[in-house]
């Protein structure tokens, strides 16, 4: 089955700096790669996603890149703010009919004021 | 549009008991998936229901079961509870579009004593 690895497990950055979280996946048939943000006491919130026919996607301060050949994808957060502090999860999903999400182990991001 | 709702939010049970958790998906969403989140194992897929039929199943014992009603609301049941079943149980709903986006509820925190 699919296996997703995520690094780093913890990340601390100064407010205003950029943060990068990386994930690799094992199943080349996976075609959907979402990123979730989870704050304490809440469920995961979808913040951005990318599909296998796209190499990069950006939404304001957040961007995701995908390298299908190397089977890895990354989350980039620029101009970080204190409210970006949370646990971030990457995930991978197979095509329609088998959309269960396989998650990475999470990255605890701390923004230092 | 209202998000995914889960009830109850917190539950305390003792070993050997059984428990039923409820999930109401986003209006119009027919797919409901369940995930277990623990510090040790992370986020793991339990099962997915689509139009009252279980479509996918994760690697959990038969003590974990679920069902979906005609209004797309879903319940999951855990019988003969074990200490290791203590976890945050998350429900996610997905629209019929081939977009894969899954939106999570706040979860039910189950503690088994």
């Amino acid at each position: 089955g699919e296996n997703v690895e995520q690094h780093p497990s913890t990340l601390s950055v100064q407010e205003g700096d950029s943060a990068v979280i990386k994930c690799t996946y094992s199943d080349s048939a996976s075609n959907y790669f979402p990123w979730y943000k989870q704050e304490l006491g809440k469920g995961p919130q979808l913040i951005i996603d990318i599909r296998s026919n796209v190499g990069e996607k950006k939404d304001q301060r957040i961007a995701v890149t995908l390298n299908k050949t190397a089977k890895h994808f990354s989350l980039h957060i620029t101009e970080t703010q204190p409210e970006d502090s949370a646990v971030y999860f990457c995930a991978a999903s197979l095509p329609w009919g088998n959309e269960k999400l396989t998650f990475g182990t999470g990255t605890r991001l701390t923004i230092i004021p | 549009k209202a998000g995914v709702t889960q009830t109850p939010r917190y539950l305390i049970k003792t070993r050997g008991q059984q428990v039923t958790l409820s999930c109401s998906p986003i209006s119009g969403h027919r797919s409901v998936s369940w995930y277990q989140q623990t510090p040790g194992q992370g986020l793991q897929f339990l099962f997915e229901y689509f139009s009252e039929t279980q479509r996918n199943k994760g690697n959990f014992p038969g003590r974990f079961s679920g069902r979906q009603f005609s209004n797309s609301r879903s319940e999951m049941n855990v019988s003969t509870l074990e200490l290791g079943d203590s976890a945050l149980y998350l429900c996610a709903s997905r629209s019929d579009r081939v977009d894969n986006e899954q939106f999570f509820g706040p979860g039910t925190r189950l503690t088994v004593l």
Side-chain angles (χ1 to χ4, degrees):
Chain A
E2 174 68 282
N3 182 53
V4 177
E5 294 189 0
Q6 182 173 347
H7 299 280
S9 57
T10 61
L11 179 61
S12 295
V13 300
Q14 289 290 139
E15 182 179 353
D17 287 351
S18 296
V20 180
I21 303 170
K22 298 181 179 182
C23 289
T24 60
Y25 61 99
S26 61
D27 193 335
S28 57
S30 290
N31 70 338
Y32 175 69
F33 308 92
W35 286 88
Y36 288 88
K37 173 184 181 182
Q38 188 173 28
E39 297 174 310
L40 198 61
K42 297 184 178 181
Q45 175 194 4
L46 179 67
I47 56 172
I48 194 167
D49 56 20
I50 192 167
R51 301 179 190 283
S52 57
N53 59 345
V54 176
E56 184 174 357
K57 182 177 179 180
K58 188 173 182 181
D59 183 4
Q60 299 183 337
R61 298 186 297 110
I62 297 174
V64 58
T65 58
L66 171 66
N67 183 326
K68 286 190 296 182
T69 304
K71 289 190 282 189
H72 69 68
F73 56 112
S74 301
L75 177 71
H76 305 252
I77 305 175
T78 59
E79 301 172 14
T80 52
Q81 301 168 2
E83 53 265 37
D84 294 330
S85 293
V87 179
Y88 291 80
F89 292 94
C90 63
S93 171
L94 291 167
W96 194 86
N98 191 12
E99 293 100 333
K100 69 173 187 179
L101 294 171
T102 300
F103 284 89
T105 50
T107 296
R108 182 172 298 279
L109 174 63
T110 302
I111 306 303
I112 304 166
Chain B
K1 190 184 259 190
V4 178
T5 58
Q6 293 187 245
T7 57
R9 292 294 312 279
Y10 303 92
L11 210 48
I12 299 175
K13 293 286 186 179
T14 56
R15 280 182 301 174
Q17 288 186 309
Q18 73 165 20
V19 66
T20 299
L21 313 180
S22 181
C23 170
S24 292
I26 293 170
S27 177
H29 288 193
R30 291 191 292 170
S31 167
V32 173
S33 295
W34 289 88
Y35 293 82
Q36 181 196 64
Q37 186 175 25
T38 61
Q41 299 299 316
L43 280 150
Q44 292 187 293
F45 173 77
L46 280 155
F47 30 65
E48 181 205 2
Y49 285 87
F50 181 82
S51 291
E52 303 179 63
T53 301
Q54 187 181 87
R55 192 163 68 165
N56 290 298
K57 189 176 188 304
N59 298 321
F60 280 80
R63 300 185 296 108
F64 292 82
S65 62
R67 59 177 176 169
Q68 187 178 34
F69 302 95
S70 58
N71 62 356
S72 295
R73 189 177 70 84
S74 177
E75 289 181 346
M76 70 163 281
N77 183 275
V78 188
S79 62
T80 320
L81 284 166
E82 301 176 359
L83 295 178
D85 295 334
S86 294
L88 181 67
Y89 289 89
L90 293 158
C91 165
S93 80
R94 183 177 56 78
S95 75
D96 289 0
R97 300 179 304 157
V98 191
D99 279 343
N100 302 67
E101 293 177 341
Q102 293 192 35
F103 300 95
F104 283 85
T108 293
R109 171 74 61 186
L110 172 64
T111 302
V112 182
L113 302 176

